[in-house]
Amino acid sequence: MVMSRRRAVFQDASIELAHGSGGKATRKLIEGLIAPYFFKEDAALTDSATLSVGDLRLALTADSFVVHPLRFPGGSIGELAVNGTINDLAMGGAEPQALLVTFILEAGMDTKVLQEEIATMAATAEKAGVAIVGGDTKVVEHGKGDGLYITTAGLGMVHPHANLNPLSIKEGDRVILSGPIGDHGITILLARGEIDLQASIASDTRPLWPLVKPLFDVYGEAIRWMRDPTRGGVATALNELARDTGLTVMLEEAAIAVRKEVRGACELLGLDPLHIANEGQFLAVVSAESAEDVLSLLHRTPGGEEARIIGSLKRASRPGVLVRSDYGSTRIIDMLVGDPLPRIC
Amino acid sequence: MRYVDEFRNPQLIEKASRELHAIVEPDRVYRFMEVCGGHTFSIFRFGIQHLLPPNIELIHGPGCPVCVLPMGRMDDGLHLADEPDVIFTAFGDVMRIPGSRGTPLELKAKGRDIRMVYSPLDALRLAQKEPERKVVFFAIGFETTAPSTALTLIKARELEVKNFFVLSNHVLILPAMRAILESPDMRIDGFLGPGHVSTVIGVRPYEFVAKHYGRPVVVAGFEPLDLLQSLIMLVKQVNAGSARVENQYSRVVPWEGNERALAAMAEVFEVRPFFEWRGLGFISQSALKIKHEFAPWDAEVHFTLAGLRVTDPKAAQCGEVLKGVLKPHQCKLFGRECTPERPVGALMVSSEGACAAYYQYTWQGAAGE
């Protein structure tokens, strides 16, 4: 692939927590240290890999889940572990078929807690129509794990009409966002109980395939790129898009839905909703001609009612993400650097 | 959201922007300093520069507590975290400030017990929960956060918590403004006064700026409309040749300040003879020390601190940027050696620092990647 971006270089002497936060440092770790060994071509990194086996187009992905607390309003680590992986498949245009599950358990963990998570995973998988077909368990010493880590690997079948390819993205293409942002990240932040703030919000974790399948059924040709903005939020996902395409993403701030509880928490803590994690929303780049049709189909699909066209792709002097306020000013929004830390003083 | 949405109303903002364009005299340049880091952040966050006439220049001031904290103080604090019985606590703002051996976040990843708290009271509660450990709260901030540190120390004394200590790095805004006004390369026509600090100290203390230095001060709020209204007030004063102190943020800031907060500060703190500010050097009577009466909770008394000075890399031009002589991107290190991920100079550390805000919101870090 011919890419306009430069490859990140990894120069850090040791691994820090920031390398796991999904922002710039994570990208450097993957592009600068891991990808050069595993991939021969300098390809754009996507949420899942696509393989051709005979006539079949398969998608393959894996994701690990480290979350504290294990249960939070609207979900739990088990639910995330199922939805997160099938969403990575869905973002590759693939219908989830099967999952493998690995548990890393800390000695001393309460069996009841583990059992609850296993039951949750089974129910979540069943609801999403995907089978859990195998896996592995390991136990580490007490104090060497955070209770429970889960890794899931997923296999999916690429939708026959899916034609995702960031290289086909053109100036004028539209960006669609499926719903309000920041619910998951703010829920987790508050559920940790470190901030004396209460809000009636819940994680948005949900499987995205039921939402995107109808779009591929009808508009597969028009959908060029899809991503679920998890860690690092919408800003990070779109900055990656900008770098991979060499284009600028121009967002209209007024079109981006943020619940008032999330907005309130962000204002208080000095955070930007565009940097906050989501577990049940997706971004799509769609051709300008089809954008309104795709949006209207999404509005008719259960769970897609709050979708909006939030911006478009432009050619500018430098690739990046710009946000235009409804009073006419614009600002650049970069990827997340490290974890979002509250500003107090 | 009440008190937020009204001040982000597009029609009102456009109207204020038009008024500002109409009243500026075309053949003069207006250089205004926003003293407070919160304002710097808002200006970039809301893209306020795009709404200003080209001859209004905003200079980003010293009011970012993270930015002006000298590295030696950070080293002293993190040195305490090396002791196995110590839990080091600080605001999220502090977690990315580099000491000589790394940031609190990096040292936490290496196994130090370093925890982020949202209020000094949380640190005090932690001390009560962990009586076998020593909990150190690394206190930073201007008059905005000093009262909560003071109240926490009063509470620690009341509850007789013996394993709680505060390392005070609290600083005062007025001596910093005076130092900038006294600086020979000072070119500032007026000040946007710090909104949050003023909720505590009130508006009256800025009168010396108007009286002795002949520069207007307008205490300003943090929303786009607040900032534009305050700039209109400043321009009108400059045009009329007047220098007064005005309060645009009167919905929050009382003229006389907050008596209870000031009383708590007076009970717990005394003014240090001098204190080092990163980028500005030593400023006399510019910081707060814990009084003798609270010595049992003063980390400077309980622990032995090295107190070494660590000078900033020579190439970093933080001082010039702080005084408004240079714009952030004119510094030799900006966006190259010095980025928000690997800050060299202090102003790149906090999102309220002029350089980090500049980097984050107006300039893309292409050169540094």
Side-chain angles (χ1 to χ4, degrees), chain A residues 108-138:
Chain A
M109 188 192 180
D110 190 340
T111 308
K112 229 173 71 196
V113 174
L114 177 60
Q115 191 175 6
E116 271 177 22
E117 289 312 312
I118 297 169
T120 301
M121 291 180 79
T124 309
E126 194 185 327
K127 210 170 113 194
V130 57
I132 296 178
V133 295
D136 185 33
T137 57
K138 290 282 182 293

PDB file of all heavy atoms in Angstrom, chain A residues 108-138:
ATOM      1  N   GLY A 108      -6.855 -16.812  44.367  1.00  0.00           N
ATOM      2  CA  GLY A 108      -7.601 -16.131  45.427  1.00  0.00           C
ATOM      3  C   GLY A 108      -8.873 -15.486  44.920  1.00  0.00           C
ATOM      4  O   GLY A 108      -9.670 -14.966  45.688  1.00  0.00           O
ATOM      5  N   MET A 109      -9.057 -15.526  43.603  1.00  0.00           N
ATOM      6  CA  MET A 109     -10.250 -14.895  43.056  1.00  0.00           C
ATOM      7  C   MET A 109     -11.501 -15.655  43.476  1.00  0.00           C
ATOM      8  O   MET A 109     -11.522 -16.883  43.523  1.00  0.00           O
ATOM      9  CB  MET A 109     -10.156 -14.897  41.530  1.00  0.00           C
ATOM     10  CG  MET A 109     -11.267 -14.100  40.919  1.00  0.00           C
ATOM     11  SD  MET A 109     -11.387 -14.345  39.169  1.00  0.00           S
ATOM     12  CE  MET A 109     -12.770 -13.257  38.856  1.00  0.00           C
ATOM     13  N   ASP A 110     -12.543 -14.923  43.788  1.00  0.00           N
ATOM     14  CA  ASP A 110     -13.817 -15.493  44.218  1.00  0.00           C
ATOM     15  C   ASP A 110     -14.479 -16.246  43.045  1.00  0.00           C
ATOM     16  O   ASP A 110     -14.703 -15.673  41.980  1.00  0.00           O
ATOM     17  CB  ASP A 110     -14.708 -14.334  44.682  1.00  0.00           C
ATOM     18  CG  ASP A 110     -15.975 -14.817  45.372  1.00  0.00           C
ATOM     19  OD1 ASP A 110     -16.360 -15.990  45.161  1.00  0.00           O
ATOM     20  OD2 ASP A 110     -16.563 -14.010  46.112  1.00  0.00           O
ATOM     21  N   THR A 111     -14.755 -17.526  43.250  1.00  0.00           N
ATOM     22  CA  THR A 111     -15.358 -18.341  42.181  1.00  0.00           C
ATOM     23  C   THR A 111     -16.668 -17.745  41.686  1.00  0.00           C
ATOM     24  O   THR A 111     -16.976 -17.789  40.489  1.00  0.00           O
ATOM     25  CB  THR A 111     -15.634 -19.771  42.689  1.00  0.00           C
ATOM     26  OG1 THR A 111     -14.427 -20.273  43.250  1.00  0.00           O
ATOM     27  CG2 THR A 111     -16.094 -20.687  41.574  1.00  0.00           C
ATOM     28  N   LYS A 112     -17.427 -17.186  42.638  1.00  0.00           N
ATOM     29  CA  LYS A 112     -18.731 -16.643  42.268  1.00  0.00           C
ATOM     30  C   LYS A 112     -18.592 -15.526  41.230  1.00  0.00           C
ATOM     31  O   LYS A 112     -19.378 -15.434  40.288  1.00  0.00           O
ATOM     32  CB  LYS A 112     -19.441 -16.105  43.521  1.00  0.00           C
ATOM     33  CG  LYS A 112     -20.871 -16.606  43.616  1.00  0.00           C
ATOM     34  CD  LYS A 112     -21.527 -16.232  44.927  1.00  0.00           C
ATOM     35  CE  LYS A 112     -21.818 -14.750  44.976  1.00  0.00           C
ATOM     36  NZ  LYS A 112     -22.111 -14.278  46.339  1.00  0.00           N
ATOM     37  N   VAL A 113     -17.566 -14.678  41.438  1.00  0.00           N
ATOM     38  CA  VAL A 113     -17.339 -13.567  40.506  1.00  0.00           C
ATOM     39  C   VAL A 113     -17.007 -14.122  39.122  1.00  0.00           C
ATOM     40  O   VAL A 113     -17.557 -13.689  38.105  1.00  0.00           O
ATOM     41  CB  VAL A 113     -16.190 -12.666  41.018  1.00  0.00           C
ATOM     42  CG1 VAL A 113     -15.844 -11.592  39.990  1.00  0.00           C
ATOM     43  CG2 VAL A 113     -16.567 -12.032  42.347  1.00  0.00           C
ATOM     44  N   LEU A 114     -16.121 -15.138  39.096  1.00  0.00           N
ATOM     45  CA  LEU A 114     -15.736 -15.742  37.825  1.00  0.00           C
ATOM     46  C   LEU A 114     -16.949 -16.370  37.141  1.00  0.00           C
ATOM     47  O   LEU A 114     -17.172 -16.184  35.938  1.00  0.00           O
ATOM     48  CB  LEU A 114     -14.641 -16.790  38.055  1.00  0.00           C
ATOM     49  CG  LEU A 114     -14.191 -17.554  36.814  1.00  0.00           C
ATOM     50  CD1 LEU A 114     -13.625 -16.609  35.750  1.00  0.00           C
ATOM     51  CD2 LEU A 114     -13.147 -18.614  37.168  1.00  0.00           C
ATOM     52  N   GLN A 115     -17.731 -17.108  37.953  1.00  0.00           N
ATOM     53  CA  GLN A 115     -18.904 -17.780  37.396  1.00  0.00           C
ATOM     54  C   GLN A 115     -19.869 -16.768  36.783  1.00  0.00           C
ATOM     55  O   GLN A 115     -20.399 -16.981  35.687  1.00  0.00           O
ATOM     56  CB  GLN A 115     -19.599 -18.570  38.502  1.00  0.00           C
ATOM     57  CG  GLN A 115     -20.656 -19.509  37.965  1.00  0.00           C
ATOM     58  CD  GLN A 115     -21.252 -20.363  39.086  1.00  0.00           C
ATOM     59  OE1 GLN A 115     -20.936 -20.160  40.269  1.00  0.00           O
ATOM     60  NE2 GLN A 115     -22.090 -21.302  38.722  1.00  0.00           N
ATOM     61  N   GLU A 116     -20.061 -15.656  37.460  1.00  0.00           N
ATOM     62  CA  GLU A 116     -20.948 -14.612  36.932  1.00  0.00           C
ATOM     63  C   GLU A 116     -20.462 -14.126  35.575  1.00  0.00           C
ATOM     64  O   GLU A 116     -21.255 -13.919  34.658  1.00  0.00           O
ATOM     65  CB  GLU A 116     -20.983 -13.416  37.896  1.00  0.00           C
ATOM     66  CG  GLU A 116     -22.050 -13.525  38.961  1.00  0.00           C
ATOM     67  CD  GLU A 116     -21.994 -12.336  39.931  1.00  0.00           C
ATOM     68  OE1 GLU A 116     -21.453 -11.274  39.560  1.00  0.00           O
ATOM     69  OE2 GLU A 116     -22.482 -12.504  41.059  1.00  0.00           O
ATOM     70  N   GLU A 117     -19.137 -13.942  35.474  1.00  0.00           N
ATOM     71  CA  GLU A 117     -18.594 -13.439  34.208  1.00  0.00           C
ATOM     72  C   GLU A 117     -18.751 -14.471  33.093  1.00  0.00           C
ATOM     73  O   GLU A 117     -19.043 -14.126  31.950  1.00  0.00           O
ATOM     74  CB  GLU A 117     -17.127 -13.029  34.357  1.00  0.00           C
ATOM     75  CG  GLU A 117     -16.929 -11.774  35.184  1.00  0.00           C
ATOM     76  CD  GLU A 117     -17.854 -10.631  34.772  1.00  0.00           C
ATOM     77  OE1 GLU A 117     -17.954 -10.348  33.563  1.00  0.00           O
ATOM     78  OE2 GLU A 117     -18.502 -10.042  35.663  1.00  0.00           O
ATOM     79  N   ILE A 118     -18.551 -15.753  33.442  1.00  0.00           N
ATOM     80  CA  ILE A 118     -18.699 -16.800  32.425  1.00  0.00           C
ATOM     81  C   ILE A 118     -20.148 -16.845  31.941  1.00  0.00           C
ATOM     82  O   ILE A 118     -20.416 -16.899  30.733  1.00  0.00           O
ATOM     83  CB  ILE A 118     -18.252 -18.169  32.990  1.00  0.00           C
ATOM     84  CG1 ILE A 118     -16.754 -18.102  33.339  1.00  0.00           C
ATOM     85  CG2 ILE A 118     -18.514 -19.287  31.984  1.00  0.00           C
ATOM     86  CD1 ILE A 118     -16.255 -19.285  34.134  1.00  0.00           C
ATOM     87  N   ALA A 119     -21.081 -16.766  32.900  1.00  0.00           N
ATOM     88  CA  ALA A 119     -22.502 -16.784  32.529  1.00  0.00           C
ATOM     89  C   ALA A 119     -22.840 -15.572  31.661  1.00  0.00           C
ATOM     90  O   ALA A 119     -23.566 -15.685  30.660  1.00  0.00           O
ATOM     91  CB  ALA A 119     -23.367 -16.796  33.791  1.00  0.00           C
ATOM     92  N   THR A 120     -22.284 -14.411  32.028  1.00  0.00           N
ATOM     93  CA  THR A 120     -22.526 -13.195  31.244  1.00  0.00           C
ATOM     94  C   THR A 120     -22.007 -13.361  29.821  1.00  0.00           C
ATOM     95  O   THR A 120     -22.669 -12.981  28.849  1.00  0.00           O
ATOM     96  CB  THR A 120     -21.805 -11.992  31.901  1.00  0.00           C
ATOM     97  OG1 THR A 120     -22.299 -11.837  33.220  1.00  0.00           O
ATOM     98  CG2 THR A 120     -22.025 -10.716  31.127  1.00  0.00           C
ATOM     99  N   MET A 121     -20.812 -13.965  29.716  1.00  0.00           N
ATOM    100  CA  MET A 121     -20.228 -14.148  28.383  1.00  0.00           C
ATOM    101  C   MET A 121     -21.096 -15.063  27.535  1.00  0.00           C
ATOM    102  O   MET A 121     -21.329 -14.795  26.346  1.00  0.00           O
ATOM    103  CB  MET A 121     -18.809 -14.723  28.488  1.00  0.00           C
ATOM    104  CG  MET A 121     -17.821 -13.745  29.082  1.00  0.00           C
ATOM    105  SD  MET A 121     -16.158 -14.428  29.204  1.00  0.00           S
ATOM    106  CE  MET A 121     -15.606 -14.251  27.506  1.00  0.00           C
ATOM    107  N   ALA A 122     -21.579 -16.136  28.155  1.00  0.00           N
ATOM    108  CA  ALA A 122     -22.421 -17.082  27.415  1.00  0.00           C
ATOM    109  C   ALA A 122     -23.679 -16.380  26.916  1.00  0.00           C
ATOM    110  O   ALA A 122     -24.074 -16.511  25.750  1.00  0.00           O
ATOM    111  CB  ALA A 122     -22.778 -18.264  28.310  1.00  0.00           C
ATOM    112  N   ALA A 123     -24.287 -15.596  27.801  1.00  0.00           N
ATOM    113  CA  ALA A 123     -25.527 -14.912  27.420  1.00  0.00           C
ATOM    114  C   ALA A 123     -25.269 -13.871  26.336  1.00  0.00           C
ATOM    115  O   ALA A 123     -26.041 -13.746  25.380  1.00  0.00           O
ATOM    116  CB  ALA A 123     -26.152 -14.252  28.651  1.00  0.00           C
ATOM    117  N   THR A 124     -24.171 -13.127  26.477  1.00  0.00           N
ATOM    118  CA  THR A 124     -23.848 -12.080  25.499  1.00  0.00           C
ATOM    119  C   THR A 124     -23.583 -12.703  24.127  1.00  0.00           C
ATOM    120  O   THR A 124     -24.052 -12.204  23.099  1.00  0.00           O
ATOM    121  CB  THR A 124     -22.603 -11.276  25.947  1.00  0.00           C
ATOM    122  OG1 THR A 124     -22.796 -10.855  27.299  1.00  0.00           O
ATOM    123  CG2 THR A 124     -22.367 -10.064  25.078  1.00  0.00           C
ATOM    124  N   ALA A 125     -22.843 -13.837  24.133  1.00  0.00           N
ATOM    125  CA  ALA A 125     -22.525 -14.509  22.867  1.00  0.00           C
ATOM    126  C   ALA A 125     -23.793 -15.047  22.216  1.00  0.00           C
ATOM    127  O   ALA A 125     -23.982 -14.926  20.999  1.00  0.00           O
ATOM    128  CB  ALA A 125     -21.518 -15.631  23.112  1.00  0.00           C
ATOM    129  N   GLU A 126     -24.661 -15.596  23.043  1.00  0.00           N
ATOM    130  CA  GLU A 126     -25.891 -16.162  22.483  1.00  0.00           C
ATOM    131  C   GLU A 126     -26.734 -15.063  21.845  1.00  0.00           C
ATOM    132  O   GLU A 126     -27.262 -15.213  20.745  1.00  0.00           O
ATOM    133  CB  GLU A 126     -26.674 -16.884  23.580  1.00  0.00           C
ATOM    134  CG  GLU A 126     -27.759 -17.772  22.994  1.00  0.00           C
ATOM    135  CD  GLU A 126     -28.626 -18.416  24.062  1.00  0.00           C
ATOM    136  OE1 GLU A 126     -28.081 -18.705  25.151  1.00  0.00           O
ATOM    137  OE2 GLU A 126     -29.836 -18.606  23.806  1.00  0.00           O
ATOM    138  N   LYS A 127     -26.829 -13.936  22.561  1.00  0.00           N
ATOM    139  CA  LYS A 127     -27.603 -12.808  22.049  1.00  0.00           C
ATOM    140  C   LYS A 127     -27.029 -12.327  20.713  1.00  0.00           C
ATOM    141  O   LYS A 127     -27.779 -11.950  19.811  1.00  0.00           O
ATOM    142  CB  LYS A 127     -27.573 -11.675  23.077  1.00  0.00           C
ATOM    143  CG  LYS A 127     -28.808 -10.808  23.060  1.00  0.00           C
ATOM    144  CD  LYS A 127     -28.832  -9.871  24.254  1.00  0.00           C
ATOM    145  CE  LYS A 127     -28.676  -8.430  23.785  1.00  0.00           C
ATOM    146  NZ  LYS A 127     -28.363  -7.506  24.857  1.00  0.00           N
ATOM    147  N   ALA A 128     -25.715 -12.377  20.593  1.00  0.00           N
ATOM    148  CA  ALA A 128     -25.080 -11.894  19.365  1.00  0.00           C
ATOM    149  C   ALA A 128     -25.035 -12.979  18.283  1.00  0.00           C
ATOM    150  O   ALA A 128     -24.567 -12.733  17.179  1.00  0.00           O
ATOM    151  CB  ALA A 128     -23.668 -11.404  19.676  1.00  0.00           C
ATOM    152  N   GLY A 129     -25.485 -14.176  18.619  1.00  0.00           N
ATOM    153  CA  GLY A 129     -25.515 -15.253  17.638  1.00  0.00           C
ATOM    154  C   GLY A 129     -24.150 -15.800  17.291  1.00  0.00           C
ATOM    155  O   GLY A 129     -23.882 -16.198  16.157  1.00  0.00           O
ATOM    156  N   VAL A 130     -23.237 -15.818  18.249  1.00  0.00           N
ATOM    157  CA  VAL A 130     -21.907 -16.325  17.976  1.00  0.00           C
ATOM    158  C   VAL A 130     -21.578 -17.422  18.992  1.00  0.00           C
ATOM    159  O   VAL A 130     -21.980 -17.341  20.153  1.00  0.00           O
ATOM    160  CB  VAL A 130     -20.875 -15.158  17.993  1.00  0.00           C
ATOM    161  CG1 VAL A 130     -20.891 -14.420  19.302  1.00  0.00           C
ATOM    162  CG2 VAL A 130     -19.466 -15.647  17.688  1.00  0.00           C
ATOM    163  N   ALA A 131     -20.891 -18.455  18.541  1.00  0.00           N
ATOM    164  CA  ALA A 131     -20.591 -19.580  19.426  1.00  0.00           C
ATOM    165  C   ALA A 131     -19.227 -19.401  20.079  1.00  0.00           C
ATOM    166  O   ALA A 131     -18.282 -18.959  19.424  1.00  0.00           O
ATOM    167  CB  ALA A 131     -20.606 -20.876  18.616  1.00  0.00           C
ATOM    168  N   ILE A 132     -19.147 -19.736  21.374  1.00  0.00           N
ATOM    169  CA  ILE A 132     -17.831 -19.797  22.012  1.00  0.00           C
ATOM    170  C   ILE A 132     -17.392 -21.252  21.909  1.00  0.00           C
ATOM    171  O   ILE A 132     -18.044 -22.142  22.438  1.00  0.00           O
ATOM    172  CB  ILE A 132     -17.896 -19.317  23.476  1.00  0.00           C
ATOM    173  CG1 ILE A 132     -18.284 -17.833  23.505  1.00  0.00           C
ATOM    174  CG2 ILE A 132     -16.557 -19.532  24.167  1.00  0.00           C
ATOM    175  CD1 ILE A 132     -18.444 -17.227  24.877  1.00  0.00           C
ATOM    176  N   VAL A 133     -16.283 -21.490  21.187  1.00  0.00           N
ATOM    177  CA  VAL A 133     -15.966 -22.862  20.797  1.00  0.00           C
ATOM    178  C   VAL A 133     -14.738 -23.440  21.485  1.00  0.00           C
ATOM    179  O   VAL A 133     -14.396 -24.600  21.275  1.00  0.00           O
ATOM    180  CB  VAL A 133     -15.788 -22.965  19.265  1.00  0.00           C
ATOM    181  CG1 VAL A 133     -17.096 -22.659  18.555  1.00  0.00           C
ATOM    182  CG2 VAL A 133     -14.677 -22.036  18.778  1.00  0.00           C
ATOM    183  N   GLY A 134     -14.060 -22.663  22.307  1.00  0.00           N
ATOM    184  CA  GLY A 134     -12.886 -23.217  22.972  1.00  0.00           C
ATOM    185  C   GLY A 134     -12.124 -22.138  23.691  1.00  0.00           C
ATOM    186  O   GLY A 134     -12.582 -20.991  23.781  1.00  0.00           O
ATOM    187  N   GLY A 135     -10.947 -22.531  24.224  1.00  0.00           N
ATOM    188  CA  GLY A 135     -10.168 -21.520  24.918  1.00  0.00           C
ATOM    189  C   GLY A 135      -9.124 -22.112  25.828  1.00  0.00           C
ATOM    190  O   GLY A 135      -8.700 -23.262  25.648  1.00  0.00           O
ATOM    191  N   ASP A 136      -8.709 -21.341  26.819  1.00  0.00           N
ATOM    192  CA  ASP A 136      -7.628 -21.763  27.688  1.00  0.00           C
ATOM    193  C   ASP A 136      -7.775 -21.037  29.021  1.00  0.00           C
ATOM    194  O   ASP A 136      -8.415 -19.991  29.102  1.00  0.00           O
ATOM    195  CB  ASP A 136      -6.285 -21.388  27.027  1.00  0.00           C
ATOM    196  CG  ASP A 136      -5.094 -21.904  27.824  1.00  0.00           C
ATOM    197  OD1 ASP A 136      -5.219 -22.993  28.436  1.00  0.00           O
ATOM    198  OD2 ASP A 136      -4.063 -21.221  27.845  1.00  0.00           O
ATOM    199  N   THR A 137      -7.188 -21.617  30.073  1.00  0.00           N
ATOM    200  CA  THR A 137      -7.135 -20.901  31.352  1.00  0.00           C
ATOM    201  C   THR A 137      -5.719 -20.981  31.908  1.00  0.00           C
ATOM    202  O   THR A 137      -5.011 -21.968  31.707  1.00  0.00           O
ATOM    203  CB  THR A 137      -8.076 -21.529  32.406  1.00  0.00           C
ATOM    204  OG1 THR A 137      -7.719 -22.901  32.561  1.00  0.00           O
ATOM    205  CG2 THR A 137      -9.519 -21.432  32.014  1.00  0.00           C
ATOM    206  N   LYS A 138      -5.325 -19.934  32.581  1.00  0.00           N
ATOM    207  CA  LYS A 138      -4.065 -19.922  33.321  1.00  0.00           C
ATOM    208  C   LYS A 138      -4.336 -19.245  34.655  1.00  0.00           C
ATOM    209  O   LYS A 138      -5.177 -18.355  34.740  1.00  0.00           O
ATOM    210  CB  LYS A 138      -3.000 -19.097  32.582  1.00  0.00           C
ATOM    211  CG  LYS A 138      -2.484 -19.734  31.300  1.00  0.00           C
ATOM    212  CD  LYS A 138      -1.469 -20.831  31.580  1.00  0.00           C
ATOM    213  CE  LYS A 138      -0.930 -21.428  30.282  1.00  0.00           C
ATOM    214  NZ  LYS A 138      -1.956 -22.164  29.512  1.00  0.00           N
TER     215      LYS A 138
END
